[in-house]
Amino acid sequence: MQQKNLMRRTAIYCILFALTAMGVMLYYSANKIIVVADVAQDEVVQSQEGATGTETEAADKNHIEIDRSSQNTNYFCIPLPDTVKAEEVTIENHYMDQELWVSIAPKEIREQEQFYESHSVYGNCENVLNGHFEVEKERLCLRFALNDVYEYQSIFENNTLYIAFVPPKEVYDKIVVIDPAYGGEDNGVTAEGVQAKDITLEIARALKAKLDDTDIKVYYTRMDDSNPADESRVKLAAATKADMLVRIEVGGADSSKTYGTEAVYNSRFFIPGFGSVELADLLEREVVTAISGKANGLVEAAEEDGVLGEATVPAAAIKVGYLTNGQELILLQRQDYIERIADGIYQAVLKAYEQYLD
């Protein structure tokens, strides 16, 4: 008898679940609600730090009006022209710049420009500082400056894009910041035309390919030849409440005989259990193992180190070799060697979670 009652209740629950699911699908279908996927900054061409005079003039001229009087919704609401379809809209999370970009690839760009000369954005605008639009690469781009780093949840309905701003730690349990050193006019160590900034970037790209297949959310301070300020690199780790910041560096020395791998850590910021020393130790051990290299030990960050010295999360740099050493200069130009370095950093990150942060 009890078994029959159990089977009956199970059948009722299954029916109710199916009806609920069908109702949700019918609701979304009837209201034409479409979720718009967003693209992280590490997958798009990053904007260069600091606006040029032309960009500043464009921002002033193409200002988007923000109606802050209507706050009766949790969403930041962006109206779109009637001719725009959901598949023509892309959301880009430019987290290093603390900007939200909404790009539209319409057939008639000029008509879309005119639309934003007479239409304002509205809703929950407390995280939005200002906005402007510009035309670039055959698309209309709406750029909104934000007061912090956010992830987004978006819905496209009735030609309006609804965006909810969500702190990263409310979306992801595991967060890591990867910081390829140098960039832009800062080449780092240079030897025989080989620049350290290019090597750190190649390692970061190889590392990204590995970390993309994990449940770890990774933010990158740069994935192109830009050079974010030290303050911006540190701020990214703080804003995302990252579990760790891993900086990738290349060494140089007066003597060509100096070679090997070492890890630099922030000795001024101590966290019991898992801190900068533990992270540095993991990085050195795993990278040295991966490349079958020489370990030079752990080194305290210099006082003038603007990234490690100011970080408020466990932070360490892995110095992957010396360009001033002839043998390492050759190795650091080989893709298989880059892949092995990236694998070492990857293993260090995984072990940090396994051994300390689970």
Side-chain angles (χ1 to χ4, degrees):
M1 185 68 177
Q2 290 181 346
Q3 186 175 3
K4 288 183 178 180
N5 289 336
L6 179 60
M7 292 176 64
R8 187 180 297 113
R9 285 198 297 269
T10 301
I12 292 173
Y13 290 148
C14 290
I15 293 171
L16 289 174
F17 177 80
L19 290 173
T20 302
M22 185 177 295
V24 170
M25 287 189 292
L26 288 173
Y27 172 81
Y28 275 79
S29 176
N31 289 276
K32 298 181 181 178
I33 297 177
I34 301 172
V35 176
V36 178
D38 66 315
V39 180
Q41 185 169 4
D42 46 85
E43 296 181 352
V44 297
V45 176
Q46 299 188 35
S47 63
Q48 298 300 313
E49 186 165 302
T52 64
T54 303
E55 289 173 332
T56 303
E57 292 171 7
D60 292 338
K61 178 182 177 182
N62 299 331
H63 174 73
I64 297 177
E65 188 69 28
I66 300 177
D67 180 2
R68 299 184 185 275
S69 63
S70 177
Q71 297 281 338
N72 59 344
T73 175
N74 292 326
Y75 290 97
F76 175 53
C77 307
I78 305 173
L80 300 172
D82 293 340
T83 55
V84 174
K85 299 177 181 178
E87 58 267 25
E88 297 173 329
V89 180
T90 304
I91 299 174
E92 296 178 7
N93 185 351
H94 286 250
Y95 49 76
M96 277 302 292
D97 307 309
Q98 291 187 190
E99 288 188 350
L100 163 69
W101 291 22
V102 177
S103 64
I104 309 169
K107 295 178 181 178
E108 299 293 337
I109 291 181
R110 181 55 191 153
E111 291 181 9
Q112 317 307 339
E113 285 186 88
Q114 293 174 338
F115 181 86
Y116 290 102
E117 292 172 358
S118 58
H119 288 75
S120 62
V121 295
Y122 60 94
N124 187 347
C125 308
E126 63 181 7
N127 306 118
V128 183
L129 302 177
N130 57 67
H132 72 276
F133 63 87
E134 58 188 49
V135 176
E136 61 158 34
K137 296 180 180 178
E138 301 301 319
R139 68 175 184 172
L140 179 67
C141 187
L142 315 180
R143 295 175 57 172
F144 299 97
L146 308 178
N147 61 4
D148 212 336
V149 176
Y150 297 100
E151 289 297 323
Y152 312 112
Q153 294 172 348
S154 61
I155 294 174
F156 182 87
E157 178 186 16
N158 297 329
N159 283 95
T160 300
L161 185 62
Y162 297 90
I163 296 176
F165 298 100
V166 187
K169 209 61 178 178
E170 291 185 13
V171 181
Y172 305 106
D173 293 327
K174 302 175 182 179
I175 298 177
V176 173
V177 170
I178 301 296
D179 180 28
Y182 328 117
E185 295 182 357
D186 182 4
N187 300 323
V189 180
T190 301
E192 298 183 16
V194 180
Q195 299 176 334
K197 68 174 184 179
D198 297 326
I199 294 171
T200 61
L201 188 57
E202 285 303 309
I203 294 171
R205 287 171 175 164
L207 181 58
K208 174 176 165 55
K210 300 175 186 294
L211 289 171
D212 279 352
D213 291 331
T214 70
D215 62 345
I216 302 170
K217 172 61 179 178
V218 185
Y219 293 91
Y220 298 84
T221 59
R222 72 181 186 100
M223 287 301 277
D224 59 11
D225 194 26
S226 60
N227 182 22
D230 289 350
E231 180 184 358
S232 298
R233 301 178 193 239
V234 171
K235 188 174 182 180
L236 178 63
T240 57
K241 293 183 170 59
D243 300 312
M244 67 192 84
L245 184 156
V246 177
R247 185 169 169 85
I248 306 170
E249 297 181 349
V250 178
D254 294 333
S255 173
S256 62
K257 294 181 180 179
T258 302
Y259 72 99
T261 302
E262 60 201 50
V264 187
Y265 65 94
N266 178 3
S267 61
R268 285 175 278 172
F269 186 74
F270 174 75
I271 302 176
F274 178 71
S276 299
V277 175
E278 289 78 13
L279 175 58
D281 183 57
L282 282 172
L283 284 168
E284 188 190 37
R285 279 193 284 137
E286 293 303 321
V287 171
V288 168
T289 299
I291 63 176
S292 301
K294 173 193 171 189
N296 290 339
L298 308 186
V299 180
E300 290 188 19
E303 287 190 13
E304 61 270 19
D305 191 320
V307 175
L308 298 185
E310 300 300 324
T312 55
V313 303
I318 182 68
K319 196 168 290 184
V320 298
Y322 285 77
L323 279 182
T324 46
N325 177 269
Q327 184 62 30
E328 289 193 325
L329 172 63
I330 295 172
L331 289 172
L332 289 168
Q333 296 178 73
R334 286 172 39 180
Q335 188 59 39
D336 63 326
Y337 196 73
I338 293 293
E339 292 288 342
R340 287 160 62 190
I341 292 172
D343 190 60
I345 299 173
Y346 170 74
Q347 293 298 332
V349 171
L350 294 186
K351 289 189 177 181
Y353 282 107
E354 292 171 2
Q355 298 179 16
Y356 297 102
L357 298 173
D358 267 353

